């Protein structure tokens, strides 16, 4: 088992990464109360696969744990589901010493984390990510929240978990589409931060696509290490943490315009990274050769590089409602080279539309 520390003073926490490590989970819960009721939040699919086992592990170690199971999928990451989750917390008798366990992908983690952040003004929570996207990205850093009809993650809070346990053995039951959606976030880390990691993704493509365990542990560890380093410097995204949004401003627009049904989050981000690379090339930030490498890596992993027939005007309008914008200007993360990126403002609508059909 490998452990990475997110250094945030009193809010610091470990990320444990390995294979078949869930059985050791109770040994990591020194600060979790066994007297107060805890809640395991999951979705229908994940709970059917792992819920009873996790409940048995926790209950066998003396913890009082109830379960709350949501339908799952981006379409249920909303205020209606959040309200239902609050009701379950009340019904189950959670108090200020309780803990929320988030067993699932990014939707479950974001919902459960926000519920924990806001219930009784904050109870503890722990991330048990079961998707690649959640293990490499969304479970780390304390971003929690829900979507509104007008945009993604517009309501939420920065609220750090007590720990993250990433058991890569859980990734073998992921549907191929969900596995690929996580690889988009993996590629993002190479583009924004680590040239050698980007090259690793190019060289080991076949093994990563077949979910080789050694490769899985390496990519989860490297992505978490990068994110831990960034979050430790900038917890609430006032500076360097914004780099983690590469492809997201475009991607969130694609998701919202298609009702969160046509693209997974990772697919939308993948297309967004292609658009960002194309825009960076057009304004002279990125060489054409590197823009091609980024697009080819995304395409070679089986991720989409095209958003279909969405209107360029509609895309830009949605991008204008993104929460990362300031003073009415669209804020975009653009690659300056493979392994380097920067936040750019002052990009005109015409320049953005030039990379859209």
């Amino acid at each position: 088992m490998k452990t990475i520390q997110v250094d945030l003073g009193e809010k610091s926490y470990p990320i444990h990464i390995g294979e078949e490590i869930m059985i050791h989970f109770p040994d990591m819960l020194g600060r979790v109360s066994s007297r107060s009721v805890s809640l395991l939040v999951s979705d229908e699919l994940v709970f059917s696969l792992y819920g009873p086992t996790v409940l048995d592990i926790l209950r066998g170690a003396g913890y009082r744990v109830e379960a709350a199971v949501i339908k799952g999928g981006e379409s249920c990451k909303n205020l209606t589901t959040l309200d239902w989750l609050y009701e379950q917390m009340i019904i189950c008798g959670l108090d200020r010493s309780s803990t929320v366990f988030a067993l699932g992908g990014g939707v479950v983690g974001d919902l459960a984390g926000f519920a924990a952040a806001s219930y009784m003004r904050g109870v503890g929570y722990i991330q048990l990510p079961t998707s690649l996207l959640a293990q490499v990205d969304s479970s780390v850093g304390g971003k929690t929240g829900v979507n509104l009809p007008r945009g993604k993650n517009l309501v939420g809070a920065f609220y750090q978990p007590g720990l993250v346990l990433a058991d890569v053995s859980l990734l073998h039951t992921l549907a191929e589409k969900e596995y690929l959606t996580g690889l988009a976030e993996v590629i993002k880390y190479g583009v924004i931060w680590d040239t050698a990691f980007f090259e690793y993704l190019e060289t080991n493509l076949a093994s990563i696509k077949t979910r080789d365990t050694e490769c899985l542990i390496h990519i989860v560890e490297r992505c978490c290490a990068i994110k831990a380093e960034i979050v430790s410097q900038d917890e609430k995204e006032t500076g360097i943490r914004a780099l983690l949004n590469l492809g997201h401003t475009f991607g969130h627009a694609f998701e919202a315009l298609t009702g969160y049904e046509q693209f997974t989050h990772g697919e939308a981000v993948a297309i967004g990274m292609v658009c960002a690379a194309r825009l960076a090339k057009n304004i002279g930030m990125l060489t054409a050769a590197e823009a091609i490498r980024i697009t080819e890596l995304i395409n070679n992993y089986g991720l989409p590089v095209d958003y279909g027939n969405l209107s360029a005007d509609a895309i830009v309008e949605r991008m204008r409602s993104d929460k990362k914008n300031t003073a009415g200007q669209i804020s975009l993360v653009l690659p300056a080279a493979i392994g380097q990126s920067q936040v750019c403002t002052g990009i005109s609508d015409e320049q953005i539309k030039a990379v859209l059909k």
Side-chain angles (χ1 to χ4, degrees):
M1 184 171 69
K2 301 176 183 294
T3 300
I4 293 166
Q5 189 76 3
V6 181
D7 293 319
L8 289 168
E10 293 181 354
K11 294 182 286 185
S12 297
Y13 56 94
I15 308 165
H16 300 298
I17 303 161
E19 183 185 26
E20 304 286 354
I21 58 175
M22 187 66 75
I23 192 68
H24 304 295
F25 183 41
D27 299 333
M28 308 170 191
L29 302 179
R31 291 187 292 177
V32 175
S33 171
S34 59
R35 292 183 294 177
S36 295
V37 177
S38 294
L39 189 68
L40 179 73
V41 180
S42 191
D43 63 41
E44 291 175 354
L45 177 58
V46 172
F47 189 81
S48 70
L49 292 169
Y50 304 115
T53 298
V54 175
L55 286 174
D56 286 347
I57 289 171
L58 289 169
R59 289 169 178 168
Y63 293 96
R64 299 169 60 199
V65 189
E66 300 298 331
V69 182
I70 66 173
K71 182 178 180 181
E74 195 74 29
S75 62
C76 77
K77 185 180 159 182
N78 53 42
L79 293 172
T80 301
T81 308
L82 182 66
D83 182 65
W84 177 86
L85 193 51
Y86 289 140
E87 286 295 317
Q88 304 314 301
M89 296 167 87
I90 295 169
I91 291 168
C92 292
L94 270 67
D95 58 36
R96 284 186 170 178
S97 296
S98 295
T99 296
V100 174
F101 298 99
L103 178 70
V107 169
V108 168
D110 284 3
L111 264 169
F114 188 40
S118 48
Y119 181 74
M120 293 190 174
R121 297 192 175 91
V123 299
Y125 88 109
I126 286 172
Q127 289 274 17
L128 302 172
T130 61
S131 70
L132 181 60
L133 184 149
Q135 290 193 3
V136 302
D137 194 74
S138 64
S139 67
V140 177
K143 277 190 176 181
T144 70
V146 297
N147 303 329
L148 297 181
R150 289 288 298 174
K152 188 177 174 70
N153 296 326
L154 291 181
V155 177
F158 288 98
Y159 194 65
Q160 302 299 333
L163 68 87
V164 178
L165 185 148
D167 188 333
V168 300
S169 65
L170 306 185
L171 302 179
H172 293 296
T173 57
L174 268 184
E176 183 69 7
K177 188 179 183 71
E178 291 303 317
Y179 181 65
L180 292 177
T181 200
L183 286 175
E185 295 285 0
V186 171
I187 293 168
K188 175 192 77 177
Y189 284 101
V191 176
I192 68 167
W193 199 262
D194 190 337
T195 306
F197 185 56
F198 187 93
E199 292 169 353
Y200 175 88
L201 298 176
E202 291 177 316
T203 304
N204 294 276
L205 187 144
S207 295
I208 292 170
K209 288 182 74 172
T210 57
R211 311 188 200 191
D212 173 79
T213 297
E214 184 177 337
C215 288
L216 288 176
I217 291 175
H218 176 69
I219 63 177
V220 173
E221 179 187 14
R222 185 63 192 129
C223 291
C224 286
I226 293 171
K227 187 160 189 180
E229 181 179 352
I230 292 172
V231 171
S232 294
Q233 296 178 51
D234 177 22
E235 180 186 3
K236 296 189 176 180
E237 203 171 296
T238 58
I240 194 172
R241 184 168 178 170
L243 298 180
L244 294 168
N245 294 317
L246 175 69
H248 285 60
T249 303
F250 283 104
H252 288 169
F254 303 149
E255 288 180 275
L257 288 170
T258 55
Y260 303 103
E261 294 181 351
Q262 182 173 336
F263 303 112
T264 66
H265 175 65
E267 288 174 336
V269 168
I271 303 166
M273 286 192 288
V274 172
C275 293
R278 191 179 301 148
L279 178 55
K281 174 183 70 73
N282 284 358
I283 64 174
M285 278 182 61
L286 185 70
T287 67
E290 290 191 303
I292 290 170
R293 276 182 74 191
I294 292 168
T295 301
E296 285 185 344
L297 185 63
I298 290 169
N299 187 57
N300 288 342
Y301 271 105
L303 286 158
V305 295
D306 189 283
Y307 57 82
N309 59 0
L310 297 174
S311 157
D313 288 336
I315 293 169
V316 171
E317 182 183 354
R318 283 288 178 168
M319 291 171 71
R320 288 203 165 279
S321 67
D322 192 274
K323 62 185 181 300
K324 297 179 290 297
N325 297 337
T326 55
Q329 289 193 322
I330 295 175
S331 179
L332 289 168
V333 179
L334 299 179
I338 291 174
Q340 299 176 36
S341 56
Q342 61 188 66
V343 178
C344 299
T345 56
I347 305 293
S348 70
D349 290 1
E350 289 69 29
Q351 287 173 313
I352 295 172
K353 290 177 184 178
V355 305
L356 302 170
K357 292 183 198 175

